[in-house]
């Protein structure tokens, strides 16, 4: 297997709670680098808010785009 790594820096707008990411480095190879382009473009081209919620023993994170509220991604945290 391979590991593909992107590294991002961020700034936080304290007034809105939105994060803006900039790429520090990446991708660091791996076969998934090509398919991660869509995620990378989302992270670079949008300001994002981050929230989390708990359902039983599961913890979920929720990313929302400030520029396009239709972009709303929820994923489980481990």
């Amino acid at each position: 297997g391979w590991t593909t790594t992107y590294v991002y820096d961020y700034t936080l707008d304290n007034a809105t709670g939105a994060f803006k990411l900039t790429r520090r480095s990446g991708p660091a190879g791996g076969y998934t680098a090509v398919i991660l382009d869509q995620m990378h473009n989302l992270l670079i081209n949008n300001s994002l808010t981050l929230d989390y919620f708990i359902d039983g023993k599961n913890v979920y994170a929720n990313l929302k785009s400030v520029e396009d509220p239709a972009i709303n991604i929820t994923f489980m945290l481990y």
Side-chain angles (χ1 to χ4, degrees):
W2 290 276
T3 300
T4 301
T5 304
Y6 279 90
V7 179
Y8 296 93
D9 291 320
Y10 68 91
T11 56
L12 173 62
D13 182 332
N14 288 320
T16 64
F19 292 90
K20 183 66 181 168
L21 301 179
T22 55
R23 187 177 84 172
R24 183 188 305 172
S25 66
Y31 68 94
T32 60
V34 174
I35 61 174
L36 287 176
D37 283 348
Q38 291 180 348
M39 178 62 84
H40 169 71
N41 289 334
L42 167 74
L43 296 174
I44 290 297
N45 295 316
N46 291 273
S47 298
L48 302 162
T49 59
L50 176 64
D51 200 1
Y52 75 94
F53 59 95
I54 299 170
D55 181 22
K57 294 182 179 182
N58 299 317
V59 179
Y60 298 91
N62 182 249
L63 285 176
K64 292 181 184 178
S65 168
V66 173
E67 292 79 11
D68 184 353
I71 298 174
N72 184 352
I73 302 170
T74 301
F75 49 94
M76 184 184 290
L77 300 173
Y78 290 94

